[in-house]
Amino acid sequence: LEQINCFADLLLPLPVGGTFTYGIPDELNGKIQEGLRVVVQFGKRKIYTALVIRVHQEKPGGYIPKNILSSLDEKPVVTHFQKQLWEWMASYYLCHEGEVLNAALPSAFKLASESKIIINPAIEESFHSFNEKEQLLIEALQYRKAIEIDDVSKILGQQKVIPVIKTLMEKGIILLQEEVAEKYQPKKEFFIRLAEEYDEDEEKLKDLFNSLEKKAKKQLELLMAFYHLSRMGADVRKEISHHELLKFSNISQTVLKSLIEKNVFESFEKVVSRLDIQVADSHPDNILMSDIQQVAYDQIQAAFTRKDVVLLHGVTSSGKTELYIKFIQETINQGKQVLYLLPEIALTGHIINRLKKYFGNRIGVSHSKFNENERVEIWNKVLSADQTDKNHDNSYDIILGARSSVFLPFSNLGLVIVDEEHDPSFKQFDPSPRYNARDCALYLAHLHGAKAILGSATPSMESYFNASEGKYELVEIKERYGNLDLPEIIVVDVKNEIRWKKMKSHFSSVLMKQLEDALAKQEQSILFQNRRGFSLRLECETCNWMPMCRNCDVTLVYHKKQNQLRCHYCGYTTRIPENCPECRGTNLKMKGFGTEKVEEELSILLPGAKIARMDLDTTRSKHSYQRILEDFGQKKTDILVGTQMVTKGLDFDNVSTVGILNADNMLSFPDFRAAERSYQLMAQVSGRSGRKNKRGKVIIQTYNPNHMVIRNVVENNYTRMYQQQILDRRKFKYPPLSRLIQLRLKHKDQRLLNQAADWLAARLRLAFGNRVLGPEYPVVSRVMNFYLKHILLKFERSSSMISMKSLLIREMEGFYSEKKFVSVRVIIDVDPQ
DNA sequence: AGCACGCCGACT
DNA sequence: GTCGGCGTGCTC
């Protein structure tokens, strides 16, 4: 028997470089190919899912390869496009391909490798003597057949369990069981169908009805419900799930059970999708576009003949979504796939339902609230889109999703849309790969030869710059959809208000008047308070002492609900001290105002108003975000107070007033993007205001009413903001006129960290000269007992980033070969946000 | 990443 | 004398 291709190069989902060569055992001979997932042992004990990169017959030298344990797939689950994208991501973002693979694969796609212990079945009676702990564990093992090592510590009530396990293993009482099972479990549900005899013979069915009518009213009712349900949709359904029938009929399970026992119904189990769509009817052809939209549509169409990427700059509520829908429709008509990216937070029920209405079960939604099994289903449905599936029962050709959707197995992309392209949350901060999904999506589009639309009311400096340089085509929509006027923006000088004692707490007289008016007219309001630095803190009035986190270099934030002080970085909590630990004084006061405080004070000032709050605290649970928005949409709430969150994805038609409580704390943030961000936030939140045929009002409270950014917001002058900013960026060599790479160094020992940072910066200066800035302490210089220090690399646009990056890699190797620094973690962030 | 191996300080 | 702390280096 001739063996062909007996080795495979595998990529492991780990931060290690390169591939590893494994042997293909006889039983898998001929069954291993590129793009399959296989199970391997890597190192002494660990079992991993790996991806087959290449199959060959070159016997490796210097070591004896281990064999592949098993294969998880028959057909590839990873496409060529994906591999190209991942390779590019690893080289662009300076990380390992394994890290990209780890981020890309849904975790249910990887294996569970939990080491479990079991009782040795060969031993029936034991002549050993056991100590108390050993006895305890043996008893536990008699109740549960397998216990994970992590759980043993709970049973024994102590941290160190390995010695106990070790001695018991040596005595042969227990065994280690390496359980390998695929985590993905298809969802199954019980269904019923009418027994064959009744389904075919109407006479028999009539008899059944008659007999049930006399003896079993409830059973008849259930049978009728079944009939009803089966004829409700467009097609007659012969199979109905237990769950659906019982819920619809509101009849108890025992009734169903007796009908099954009587052989009226047949019951069976079936694999169902977790992603079933409620919206049944879709009407893809009803896209009504205004003249303005039509013009924009034609412009984009024309632009695509010249360039593959179009930046669509359209003011808020200019109807960009209809344009997207039109382009999506055309793309799928050509038999191609569409990727529609949105920031996580903008993926609300609103937009999802709107698109599902058009595209029904051809569109898949993918965001972080989906569990791991659901993610596997999305993956498979994208993967199967290239096979002929005209009904789209098992495939998606449109994906609406957040950042991580760029990893899906597209085979034939025709269009990529990145909406709200300016949004900083497209950039992954931690862990690696620290990628910007917008940029990856553009590269992905390029790989597929697809067109791309970047959409925003407030484009990022980078994208607008690219458009003005001719790299992208620019299409602008300057009017809002349906004659909606842009809101009137009123700037309130807080200095004046204070001078004339017109401020009520943090609300100016102008804002209060507006809120009262809106309330009287039953119109809704949104109040925006930037979270940064504005949560409640405790301060000693005598000596200015502030409570700090034990592990991080930040002040603690007061949380009213638990009545405690809390660290926003590590979660450390402490009780409120009675007196100041520095000066023993009792003059401790709360300072600052967060959204919670705004809500509280507003409820005193406007006792009749129904106020809701939307921030990190109130949206922690799975559905709370949705609920707050729904309540607001259904006008159950008069005033919505919130952070950043209120600026995105909200589309309500009864909001007359938007208040920005403190514009200054965003403008003064120490970041070169502060002005850009502030403009974006204020413009976006202002866009929430305005109703049909009625102009909305926006009130901005500030100490600097003449600040250029605020004036640009008032005049809705994006272009001027851009031009002013670009001068600054040019002057100080910041993006888009340069490219940044940030190095974040981390260590528990501050002295070693400083030494390492200085050493590395000096070494980098030899290679890059004055392109190196720092090392510098970040705003928060200690998190969870790790000290932090940053080095920034600033490269001019003309420099070749590929050679700069390989030079950087070489310098980093030099750093790590310095043995005293190996414990210093260095995080490399390309294009940091 | 995860894990074993190996070298030094605090305890039965 | 040993247990266990973490630094070091390898995994096909």
Side-chain angles (χ1 to χ4, degrees), chain A residues 786-801:
Chain A
F786 279 90
Y787 289 91
L788 306 172
K789 216 147 191 197
H790 293 177
I791 297 172
L792 192 65
L793 303 177
K794 236 188 224 183
F795 296 102
E796 57 279 21
R797 276 183 69 80
S798 56
S799 55
S800 152
M801 285 313 283

Side-chain angles (χ1 to χ4, degrees), chain A residues 298-564:
Chain A
D298 294 339
Q299 284 176 342
I300 297 172
Q301 230 15 323
F304 276 151
T305 63
R306 298 184 292 267
K307 294 263 156 54
D308 288 334
V309 184
V310 169
L311 175 63
L312 175 58
H313 174 206
V315 293
T316 49
S317 309
S318 57
K320 290 193 287 289
T321 313
E322 281 77 21
L323 284 173
Y324 297 152
I325 288 170
K326 190 94 192 256
F327 280 104
I328 293 171
Q329 186 63 57
E330 278 167 15
T331 310
I332 60 174
N333 285 350
Q334 292 164 27
K336 290 181 177 174
Q337 295 168 296
V338 179
L339 170 62
Y340 183 164
L341 282 185
L342 269 169
E344 181 76 44
I345 197 137
L347 268 171
T348 56
H350 224 90
I351 184 87
I352 295 170
N353 288 340
R354 203 149 141 208
L355 276 130
K356 277 188 177 172
K357 216 175 116 192
Y358 282 107
F359 301 111
N361 56 0
R362 303 183 69 155
I363 184 159
V365 181
S366 156
H367 58 77
S368 69
K369 297 259 158 97
F370 277 179
N371 69 33
E372 286 307 324
N373 284 322
E374 289 167 335
R375 277 156 207 263
V376 171
E377 287 186 18
I378 291 165
W379 184 289
N380 289 334
K381 285 191 173 195
V382 176
L383 189 66
S384 60
D386 66 330
Q387 284 132 32
T388 0
D389 181 4
K390 288 282 167 276
N391 294 321
H392 293 277
D393 286 338
N394 266 314
S395 71
Y396 294 138
D397 43 15
I398 310 159
I399 284 291
L400 171 63
R403 188 167 69 206
S404 61
S405 324
V406 295
F407 293 120
L408 288 168
F410 298 102
S411 50
N412 185 19
L413 266 181
L415 176 67
V416 168
I417 297 165
V418 185
D419 201 13
E420 312 284 356
E421 70 72 37
H422 64 279
D423 199 289
S425 71
F426 278 125
K427 179 77 199 291
Q428 167 136 319
F429 179 73
D430 214 32
S432 179
R434 297 178 173 78
Y435 64 103
N436 187 323
R438 180 238 289 149
D439 301 337
C440 294
L442 288 182
Y443 188 78
L444 185 65
H446 166 74
L447 284 176
H448 284 260
K451 303 288 179 197
I453 303 175
L454 303 180
S456 177
T458 53
S460 63
M461 295 292 295
E462 283 85 350
S463 296
Y464 207 80
F465 182 80
N466 281 334
S468 57
E469 292 271 285
K471 203 172 160 191
Y472 308 155
E473 287 284 323
L474 178 67
V475 172
E476 303 197 80
I477 313 176
K478 299 205 160 141
E479 284 159 81
R480 291 174 114 182
Y481 181 77
N483 288 332
L484 202 63
D485 278 327
L486 280 164
E488 177 191 355
I489 300 177
I490 303 159
V491 180
V492 180
D493 186 346
V494 178
K495 285 197 303 284
N496 266 337
E497 289 264 329
I498 290 174
R499 190 177 307 146
W500 303 110
K501 298 208 157 45
K502 289 207 278 187
M503 287 293 278
K504 277 185 183 164
S505 160
H506 298 286
F507 309 98
S508 62
S509 56
V510 185
L511 180 58
M512 283 310 294
K513 173 89 177 35
Q514 252 319 297
L515 290 175
E516 282 161 9
D517 281 0
L519 214 52
K521 289 183 205 153
Q522 299 197 335
E523 294 166 348
Q524 291 170 295
S525 307
I526 293 175
L527 293 185
F528 169 67
Q529 167 65 313
N530 198 17
R531 190 171 62 91
R532 288 245 163 107
F534 259 80
S535 11
L536 269 186
R537 284 129 214 271
L538 206 63
E539 193 178 334
C540 172
E541 297 259 279
T542 321
C543 71
N544 291 328
W545 171 84
M546 289 178 102
M548 305 285 288
C549 176
R550 221 168 45 173
N551 314 315
C552 313
D553 177 33
V554 287
T555 49
L556 295 173
V557 174
Y558 174 67
H559 279 244
K560 193 187 165 210
K561 211 172 159 194
Q562 298 100 28
N563 194 36
Q564 63 186 8

Side-chain angles (χ1 to χ4, degrees), chain A residues 167-190:
Chain A
T167 47
L168 280 177
M169 274 169 69
E170 280 159 10
K171 289 175 186 170
I173 308 297
I174 59 171
L175 297 175
L176 203 64
Q177 172 192 292
E178 198 73 44
E179 192 177 324
V180 175
E182 208 175 348
K183 275 189 192 167
Y184 172 66
Q185 294 293 334
K187 186 180 169 182
K188 286 180 173 177
E189 253 185 76
F190 278 100

Side-chain angles (χ1 to χ4, degrees), chain A residues 732-764:
Chain A
F732 299 108
K733 297 193 179 70
Y734 275 115
L737 291 131
S738 70
R739 294 165 185 279
L740 301 182
I741 297 178
Q742 186 185 51
L743 306 179
R744 300 198 284 266
L745 286 79
K746 214 173 135 179
H747 202 271
K748 282 195 172 171
D749 179 352
Q750 192 172 19
R751 275 192 34 223
L752 182 66
L753 175 74
N754 282 336
Q755 209 189 337
D758 290 342
W759 192 96
L760 180 59
R763 194 189 165 106
L764 291 171

Side-chain angles (χ1 to χ4, degrees), chain A residues 10-21:
Chain A
L10 308 180
L11 183 62
L12 285 128
L14 296 173
V16 287
T19 55
F20 291 84
T21 305

Side-chain angles (χ1 to χ4, degrees), chain A residues 271-290:
Chain A
V271 174
V272 295
S273 169
R274 289 182 173 81
L275 313 166
D276 267 342
I277 289 154
Q278 308 309 319
V279 187
D281 48 334
S282 56
H283 6 248
D285 297 314
N286 293 337
I287 310 163
L288 288 172
M289 294 212 293
S290 67

